[in-house]
Amino acid sequence: MSGPVPVPQELVGPAEAVTVGAVDLGSNSFHMVIARAQGHELTVIDRLREPVRLAEGLLPDGTLEPNVQARAVDCLKRFGERLRELPAGQVRAVGTNTLRKASRDLGFRARAKDALGHAIEIVSGQEEARLIYQGICHAQPYAGRRLAVDIGGGSTEIIVGAGLEVLRAHSLYMGCVSYSRRFFPDGALTRDAFREAETAVALELRGAREELRGMHWETSIGSSGTINAISELLRGSQGGPEITLPRLKQLRKLVMQAGRTEALALDGLKPDRAAVLPGGLAILIGVFRNLGVDTMLPSSGALREGLLWDLLGRLRHEDMRDRTIQTFVERYRVDVAQAARVERTALALLDQIGVPVGVDAEGARSLLSWASWLHEIGLAVSYSSYHKHGAYVVANADMPGFSKDDQSVLAALIEGHRRKLRDRTMAAVPESRNAEIVRLTILLRLAVLLHRSRHDESAPPARIEWAEPGARLVFPGGWFAEHPLMRADLKREQRYVEEAGLRLEIEEAR
């Protein structure tokens, strides 16, 4: 995006300007973009790209080679210089395929966060596809049905959508870095190597091929580095940005004539792209052949632009996560009256004690609200252990707008809202968020317990104080004598909390 881009009507918000930033920690390159939004326009004011090649350093145990980690951290320090003045709520940084695979390398994630100065989310393949599609749609609006393809360093996202809506999305484990390393490891550009790579693409697409071809799109568009680089090469050698299968085959012939990747010297080919061009080219040829694509045009929009629009939606109260929660409420037939009671009381308790120092208060409120609405979705499976069923659904479902970390935290709240508080419940929560999630879990447990009768009456008039590591709940004098069953429930809750090494004091005011 080189100039003003119209904002879709549903994102139109206040006239005052706001600056937002997005960082895409891709498997091949890291990208940063900063833009200013005002009224109906979003204008890019800064952009950086560095070929970090994160996927090259991924080891079988899910960690990253030290030299690749150092390269990545150095890049993020440079990005961080440009983003330093932006508040946390105006920046989103996401990791994709390689960081999904290296998600257990918490030491690297901590160093990366410190270098950037902002939290880094890991998004699922489905969420990556959604964000890519949003970036494409806002760069090149189109009301009809279209196929969108994005070839990254470690994965390829294939989406069919109509207007702004994603109809089908697939995230496949094939990328320009991973396929170049796998099929062209010594740099030899042979026909056999291309044949093997294109066959692998066909096998990877086998499960989705018939479903996708049956979607009957009207046009095709491609995004990100590989496809844009190929389009530029075709434009330079044969005129026009359109990508077709005959033109791709001709480009493959030119690539093979070079013999080796280090000898590639095509007009318009950047040096850092040469080493990963063969894998990306093989993937694109395979996509054309197996999905019956005739012509594809390149897009200037991709994941980072999608991040900007998604972030702008959150700032303008059009949060995709709220829509996802509403979808789950409907899908799992949540008792909306009960969920609303629990939410109202949980948030009232949170208002009394606040959040730990350094925690985003608005983010904590959102988490507690979402958990209140979804805490009973496991009842759709079975009443027995429904908190565990609900947590499993939330941890593993496709939840548009949510990062994998957010899903893990939400799942921990749902699993922890009743019965015993187990260590494994918190195991998936980032250590840096433990204090926040412990506090929210106790508040959710109390809100659910105080509305166990499921009546429309207000919650008991309790006052809460936070007493590390736990809470003190104070009821009006004489209240327990009038509510012996609730008193028994609270005593049992006290035991559950104390067994987890926390504290819950229950008192009557004197």
Side-chain angles (χ1 to χ4, degrees):
M1 297 186 300
S2 57
V5 178
V7 178
Q9 192 62 34
E10 64 266 30
L11 292 183
V12 173
E16 59 270 16
V18 60
T19 302
V20 289
V23 179
D24 167 11
L25 285 71
S27 299
N28 184 46
S29 302
F30 285 6
H31 296 261
M32 182 209 74
V33 60
I34 300 175
R36 183 171 56 250
Q38 185 165 18
H40 295 220
E41 293 184 348
L42 182 68
T43 304
V44 171
I45 58 177
D46 200 0
R47 188 190 293 275
L48 290 173
R49 170 191 176 272
E50 293 197 19
V52 174
R53 303 270 176 80
L54 203 63
E56 286 185 353
L58 184 64
L59 299 173
D61 65 354
T63 60
L64 292 164
E65 291 179 352
N67 64 316
V68 174
Q69 289 194 31
R71 197 160 68 210
V73 169
D74 286 345
C75 170
L76 292 175
K77 285 179 180 177
R78 290 187 283 275
F79 286 6
E81 287 184 33
R82 303 291 177 88
L83 295 167
R84 189 171 297 148
E85 302 304 318
L86 289 181
Q90 291 169 219
V91 176
R92 283 192 70 192
V94 302
T96 56
N97 182 262
T98 297
L99 285 182
R100 285 196 289 272
K101 294 180 178 179
S103 59
R104 294 182 179 178
D105 198 341
L106 300 180
F108 169 71
R109 286 187 62 186
R111 289 192 296 277
K113 176 185 176 182
D114 289 343
L116 185 63
H118 292 276
I120 295 172
E121 309 170 37
I122 308 300
V123 294
S124 68
Q126 289 288 311
E127 177 64 2
E128 182 181 356
R130 185 188 73 84
L131 290 167
I132 288 167
Y133 188 71
Q134 293 303 306
I136 290 172
C137 286
H138 295 311
Q140 281 129 315
Y142 181 72
R145 184 172 291 196
R146 64 178 162 185
L147 172 76
V149 178
D150 184 290
I151 299 173
S155 66
T156 293
E157 277 62 49
I158 301 177
I159 311 111
V160 176
L164 289 171
E165 182 184 0
V166 173
L167 301 178
R168 293 286 188 279
H170 292 269
S171 182
L172 305 172
Y173 290 118
M174 53 187 191
C176 64
V177 175
S178 58
Y179 265 45
S180 293
R181 292 182 69 191
R182 178 179 170 187
F183 297 103
F184 308 92
D186 56 357
L189 302 171
T190 65
R191 183 172 296 279
D192 284 346
F194 271 102
R195 185 179 295 113
E196 288 182 21
E198 290 164 27
T199 299
V201 174
L203 291 173
E204 189 70 29
L205 282 167
R206 183 169 50 186
R209 181 171 54 219
E210 294 309 313
E211 176 194 49
L212 288 169
R213 293 187 73 166
M215 297 293 293
H216 305 298
W217 56 82
E218 298 152 15
T219 185
S220 302
I221 196 162
S223 65
S224 288
T226 289
I227 290 176
N228 278 283
I230 288 173
S231 176
E232 284 300 312
L233 291 174
L234 296 177
R235 187 198 300 267
S237 63
Q238 302 168 39
E242 299 86 0
I243 303 171
T244 65
L245 187 56
R247 298 184 79 189
L248 287 174
K249 289 179 179 178
Q250 181 62 31
L251 179 59
R252 181 182 60 188
K253 182 178 179 180
L254 293 174
V255 168
M256 288 191 295
Q257 285 174 357
R260 303 190 61 80
T261 53
E262 58 266 29
L264 277 172
L266 302 172
D267 288 341
L269 180 64
K270 297 178 181 178
D272 64 86
R273 178 64 56 181
V276 298
L277 176 66
L281 178 58
I283 291 170
L284 191 54
I285 290 173
V287 167
F288 265 71
R289 280 179 165 164
N290 288 276
L291 297 186
V293 178
D294 296 320
T295 303
M296 179 179 290
L297 289 172
S299 172
S300 59
L303 175 60
R304 51 260 180 207
E305 288 79 19
L307 276 171
L308 289 176
W309 294 115
D310 201 63
L311 179 55
L312 189 59
R314 293 183 182 186
L315 294 173
R316 293 177 171 178
H317 307 294
E318 286 283 343
D319 195 331
M320 185 66 200
R321 295 172 298 179
D322 290 333
R323 281 188 271 170
T324 295
I325 295 299
Q326 182 59 40
T327 298
F328 273 55
V329 166
E330 295 169 0
R331 181 184 303 165
Y332 293 99
R333 300 180 182 178
V334 167
D335 181 341
V336 294
Q338 177 69 359
R341 294 181 200 109
V342 170
E343 179 197 37
R344 188 165 52 248
T345 297
L347 293 180
L349 294 173
L350 180 61
D351 287 340
Q352 291 187 50
I353 64 172
V355 297
V357 175
V359 170
D360 172 20
E362 195 58 39
R365 285 183 65 83
S366 293
L367 272 173
L368 191 55
S369 172
W370 295 328
S372 298
W373 280 98
L374 298 189
H375 76 279
E376 289 189 331
I377 64 171
L379 290 173
V381 179
S382 169
Y383 176 79
S384 177
S385 298
Y386 75 81
H387 54 303
K388 297 179 184 178
H389 302 319
Y392 179 85
V393 169
V394 166
N396 293 281
D398 291 325
M399 297 187 68
F402 285 87
S403 69
K404 295 302 291 181
D405 281 349
D406 279 345
Q407 287 185 238
S408 296
V409 166
L410 193 53
L413 284 171
I414 291 171
E415 183 167 355
H417 89 267
R418 69 190 290 261
R419 300 290 176 86
K420 291 184 177 181
L421 279 165
R422 303 181 185 276
D423 291 340
R424 67 176 179 81
T425 304
M426 295 294 293
V429 175
E431 189 174 349
S432 61
R433 302 187 70 177
N434 275 7
E436 171 195 2
I437 304 312
V438 165
R439 187 176 299 213
L440 297 183
T441 299
I442 288 178
L443 297 183
L444 180 61
R445 292 175 69 92
L446 290 173
V448 171
L449 185 60
L450 294 174
H451 287 287
R452 189 173 179 184
S453 65
R454 308 181 81 89
H455 293 160
D456 286 331
E457 63 189 37
S458 299
R463 185 178 78 253
I464 189 169
E465 302 168 1
W466 190 254
E468 193 70 40
R472 179 184 297 110
L473 204 60
V474 183
F475 290 86
W479 191 85
F480 285 148
E482 298 175 11
H483 302 84
L485 185 57
M486 178 63 73
R487 182 182 186 184
D489 284 341
L490 286 166
K491 287 292 184 183
R492 181 170 55 187
E493 176 65 14
Q494 192 174 39
R495 290 194 298 273
Y496 283 145
V497 170
E498 290 175 351
E499 286 171 3
L502 303 171
R503 184 172 62 225
L504 178 61
E505 300 175 13
I506 303 169
E507 304 174 1
E508 278 190 334
R510 290 183 169 82

mmCIF file with all atom_site columns, all heavy atoms in Angstrom, residues 265-276:
data_model
loop_
_atom_site.group_PDB
_atom_site.id
_atom_site.type_symbol
_atom_site.label_atom_id
_atom_site.label_alt_id
_atom_site.label_comp_id
_atom_site.label_asym_id
_atom_site.label_entity_id
_atom_site.label_seq_id
_atom_site.pdbx_PDB_ins_code
_atom_site.Cartn_x
_atom_site.Cartn_y
_atom_site.Cartn_z
_atom_site.occupancy
_atom_site.B_iso_or_equiv
_atom_site.pdbx_formal_charge
_atom_site.auth_seq_id
_atom_site.auth_comp_id
_atom_site.auth_asym_id
_atom_site.auth_atom_id
_atom_site.pdbx_PDB_model_num
ATOM 1  N N   . ALA A 1 265 ? 20.611 -15.311 -11.957 1.00 0.00 ? 265 ALA A N   1
ATOM 2  C CA  . ALA A 1 265 ? 20.842 -13.881 -12.196 1.00 0.00 ? 265 ALA A CA  1
ATOM 3  C C   . ALA A 1 265 ? 19.750 -13.319 -13.097 1.00 0.00 ? 265 ALA A C   1
ATOM 4  O O   . ALA A 1 265 ? 20.025 -12.692 -14.111 1.00 0.00 ? 265 ALA A O   1
ATOM 5  C CB  . ALA A 1 265 ? 22.218 -13.662 -12.811 1.00 0.00 ? 265 ALA A CB  1
ATOM 6  N N   . LEU A 1 266 ? 18.501 -13.574 -12.722 1.00 0.00 ? 266 LEU A N   1
ATOM 7  C CA  . LEU A 1 266 ? 17.379 -13.105 -13.520 1.00 0.00 ? 266 LEU A CA  1
ATOM 8  C C   . LEU A 1 266 ? 17.116 -11.629 -13.248 1.00 0.00 ? 266 LEU A C   1
ATOM 9  O O   . LEU A 1 266 ? 17.267 -11.158 -12.111 1.00 0.00 ? 266 LEU A O   1
ATOM 10 C CB  . LEU A 1 266 ? 16.124 -13.926 -13.189 1.00 0.00 ? 266 LEU A CB  1
ATOM 11 C CG  . LEU A 1 266 ? 16.238 -15.447 -13.404 1.00 0.00 ? 266 LEU A CG  1
ATOM 12 C CD1 . LEU A 1 266 ? 14.997 -16.139 -12.855 1.00 0.00 ? 266 LEU A CD1 1
ATOM 13 C CD2 . LEU A 1 266 ? 16.444 -15.770 -14.866 1.00 0.00 ? 266 LEU A CD2 1
ATOM 14 N N   . ASP A 1 267 ? 16.719 -10.908 -14.260 1.00 0.00 ? 267 ASP A N   1
ATOM 15 C CA  . ASP A 1 267 ? 16.417 -9.481  -14.093 1.00 0.00 ? 267 ASP A CA  1
ATOM 16 C C   . ASP A 1 267 ? 15.278 -9.307  -13.087 1.00 0.00 ? 267 ASP A C   1
ATOM 17 O O   . ASP A 1 267 ? 14.207 -9.906  -13.230 1.00 0.00 ? 267 ASP A O   1
ATOM 18 C CB  . ASP A 1 267 ? 15.997 -8.859  -15.435 1.00 0.00 ? 267 ASP A CB  1
ATOM 19 C CG  . ASP A 1 267 ? 17.167 -8.721  -16.397 1.00 0.00 ? 267 ASP A CG  1
ATOM 20 O OD1 . ASP A 1 267 ? 18.316 -8.759  -15.913 1.00 0.00 ? 267 ASP A OD1 1
ATOM 21 O OD2 . ASP A 1 267 ? 16.918 -8.580  -17.617 1.00 0.00 ? 267 ASP A OD2 1
ATOM 22 N N   . GLY A 1 268 ? 15.531 -8.498  -12.073 1.00 0.00 ? 268 GLY A N   1
ATOM 23 C CA  . GLY A 1 268 ? 14.510 -8.236  -11.068 1.00 0.00 ? 268 GLY A CA  1
ATOM 24 C C   . GLY A 1 268 ? 14.549 -9.173  -9.877  1.00 0.00 ? 268 GLY A C   1
ATOM 25 O O   . GLY A 1 268 ? 13.770 -8.993  -8.929  1.00 0.00 ? 268 GLY A O   1
ATOM 26 N N   . LEU A 1 269 ? 15.434 -10.168 -9.877  1.00 0.00 ? 269 LEU A N   1
ATOM 27 C CA  . LEU A 1 269 ? 15.519 -11.118 -8.765  1.00 0.00 ? 269 LEU A CA  1
ATOM 28 C C   . LEU A 1 269 ? 16.484 -10.589 -7.712  1.00 0.00 ? 269 LEU A C   1
ATOM 29 O O   . LEU A 1 269 ? 17.672 -10.414 -7.976  1.00 0.00 ? 269 LEU A O   1
ATOM 30 C CB  . LEU A 1 269 ? 15.980 -12.491 -9.250  1.00 0.00 ? 269 LEU A CB  1
ATOM 31 C CG  . LEU A 1 269 ? 16.108 -13.578 -8.173  1.00 0.00 ? 269 LEU A CG  1
ATOM 32 C CD1 . LEU A 1 269 ? 14.741 -13.882 -7.551  1.00 0.00 ? 269 LEU A CD1 1
ATOM 33 C CD2 . LEU A 1 269 ? 16.729 -14.851 -8.756  1.00 0.00 ? 269 LEU A CD2 1
ATOM 34 N N   . LYS A 1 270 ? 15.967 -10.341 -6.505  1.00 0.00 ? 270 LYS A N   1
ATOM 35 C CA  . LYS A 1 270 ? 16.812 -9.857  -5.423  1.00 0.00 ? 270 LYS A CA  1
ATOM 36 C C   . LYS A 1 270 ? 17.706 -10.986 -4.914  1.00 0.00 ? 270 LYS A C   1
ATOM 37 O O   . LYS A 1 270 ? 17.285 -12.149 -4.875  1.00 0.00 ? 270 LYS A O   1
ATOM 38 C CB  . LYS A 1 270 ? 15.948 -9.313  -4.286  1.00 0.00 ? 270 LYS A CB  1
ATOM 39 C CG  . LYS A 1 270 ? 15.114 -8.102  -4.684  1.00 0.00 ? 270 LYS A CG  1
ATOM 40 C CD  . LYS A 1 270 ? 14.232 -7.640  -3.541  1.00 0.00 ? 270 LYS A CD  1
ATOM 41 C CE  . LYS A 1 270 ? 13.377 -6.438  -3.951  1.00 0.00 ? 270 LYS A CE  1
ATOM 42 N NZ  . LYS A 1 270 ? 12.473 -6.002  -2.852  1.00 0.00 ? 270 LYS A NZ  1
ATOM 43 N N   . PRO A 1 271 ? 18.936 -10.671 -4.514  1.00 0.00 ? 271 PRO A N   1
ATOM 44 C CA  . PRO A 1 271 ? 19.869 -11.713 -4.056  1.00 0.00 ? 271 PRO A CA  1
ATOM 45 C C   . PRO A 1 271 ? 19.330 -12.578 -2.929  1.00 0.00 ? 271 PRO A C   1
ATOM 46 O O   . PRO A 1 271 ? 19.557 -13.787 -2.906  1.00 0.00 ? 271 PRO A O   1
ATOM 47 C CB  . PRO A 1 271 ? 21.088 -10.890 -3.596  1.00 0.00 ? 271 PRO A CB  1
ATOM 48 C CG  . PRO A 1 271 ? 21.018 -9.634  -4.392  1.00 0.00 ? 271 PRO A CG  1
ATOM 49 C CD  . PRO A 1 271 ? 19.560 -9.333  -4.554  1.00 0.00 ? 271 PRO A CD  1
ATOM 50 N N   . ASP A 1 272 ? 18.591 -11.974 -1.971  1.00 0.00 ? 272 ASP A N   1
ATOM 51 C CA  . ASP A 1 272 ? 18.103 -12.768 -0.839  1.00 0.00 ? 272 ASP A CA  1
ATOM 52 C C   . ASP A 1 272 ? 16.923 -13.667 -1.220  1.00 0.00 ? 272 ASP A C   1
ATOM 53 O O   . ASP A 1 272 ? 16.546 -14.548 -0.454  1.00 0.00 ? 272 ASP A O   1
ATOM 54 C CB  . ASP A 1 272 ? 17.686 -11.847 0.322   1.00 0.00 ? 272 ASP A CB  1
ATOM 55 C CG  . ASP A 1 272 ? 16.520 -10.941 -0.030  1.00 0.00 ? 272 ASP A CG  1
ATOM 56 O OD1 . ASP A 1 272 ? 15.359 -11.389 0.122   1.00 0.00 ? 272 ASP A OD1 1
ATOM 57 O OD2 . ASP A 1 272 ? 16.757 -9.816  -0.461  1.00 0.00 ? 272 ASP A OD2 1
ATOM 58 N N   . ARG A 1 273 ? 16.352 -13.463 -2.386  1.00 0.00 ? 273 ARG A N   1
ATOM 59 C CA  . ARG A 1 273 ? 15.230 -14.270 -2.844  1.00 0.00 ? 273 ARG A CA  1
ATOM 60 C C   . ARG A 1 273 ? 15.692 -15.487 -3.643  1.00 0.00 ? 273 ARG A C   1
ATOM 61 O O   . ARG A 1 273 ? 14.979 -16.496 -3.723  1.00 0.00 ? 273 ARG A O   1
ATOM 62 C CB  . ARG A 1 273 ? 14.295 -13.398 -3.695  1.00 0.00 ? 273 ARG A CB  1
ATOM 63 C CG  . ARG A 1 273 ? 13.092 -14.095 -4.306  1.00 0.00 ? 273 ARG A CG  1
ATOM 64 C CD  . ARG A 1 273 ? 12.112 -14.632 -3.320  1.00 0.00 ? 273 ARG A CD  1
ATOM 65 N NE  . ARG A 1 273 ? 11.598 -13.646 -2.395  1.00 0.00 ? 273 ARG A NE  1
ATOM 66 C CZ  . ARG A 1 273 ? 10.725 -13.933 -1.429  1.00 0.00 ? 273 ARG A CZ  1
ATOM 67 N NH1 . ARG A 1 273 ? 10.302 -15.170 -1.251  1.00 0.00 ? 273 ARG A NH1 1
ATOM 68 N NH2 . ARG A 1 273 ? 10.290 -12.985 -0.615  1.00 0.00 ? 273 ARG A NH2 1
ATOM 69 N N   . ALA A 1 274 ? 16.894 -15.437 -4.214  1.00 0.00 ? 274 ALA A N   1
ATOM 70 C CA  . ALA A 1 274 ? 17.361 -16.494 -5.122  1.00 0.00 ? 274 ALA A CA  1
ATOM 71 C C   . ALA A 1 274 ? 17.373 -17.866 -4.462  1.00 0.00 ? 274 ALA A C   1
ATOM 72 O O   . ALA A 1 274 ? 16.961 -18.861 -5.063  1.00 0.00 ? 274 ALA A O   1
ATOM 73 C CB  . ALA A 1 274 ? 18.749 -16.149 -5.647  1.00 0.00 ? 274 ALA A CB  1
ATOM 74 N N   . ALA A 1 275 ? 17.825 -17.934 -3.209  1.00 0.00 ? 275 ALA A N   1
ATOM 75 C CA  . ALA A 1 275 ? 17.976 -19.240 -2.556  1.00 0.00 ? 275 ALA A CA  1
ATOM 76 C C   . ALA A 1 275 ? 16.643 -19.930 -2.289  1.00 0.00 ? 275 ALA A C   1
ATOM 77 O O   . ALA A 1 275 ? 16.601 -21.159 -2.168  1.00 0.00 ? 275 ALA A O   1
ATOM 78 C CB  . ALA A 1 275 ? 18.736 -19.067 -1.245  1.00 0.00 ? 275 ALA A CB  1
ATOM 79 N N   . VAL A 1 276 ? 15.561 -19.161 -2.188  1.00 0.00 ? 276 VAL A N   1
ATOM 80 C CA  . VAL A 1 276 ? 14.263 -19.763 -1.866  1.00 0.00 ? 276 VAL A CA  1
ATOM 81 C C   . VAL A 1 276 ? 13.298 -19.718 -3.042  1.00 0.00 ? 276 VAL A C   1
ATOM 82 O O   . VAL A 1 276 ? 12.161 -20.190 -2.929  1.00 0.00 ? 276 VAL A O   1
ATOM 83 C CB  . VAL A 1 276 ? 13.623 -19.072 -0.636  1.00 0.00 ? 276 VAL A CB  1
ATOM 84 C CG1 . VAL A 1 276 ? 14.508 -19.250 0.585   1.00 0.00 ? 276 VAL A CG1 1
ATOM 85 C CG2 . VAL A 1 276 ? 13.381 -17.589 -0.906  1.00 0.00 ? 276 VAL A CG2 1
#
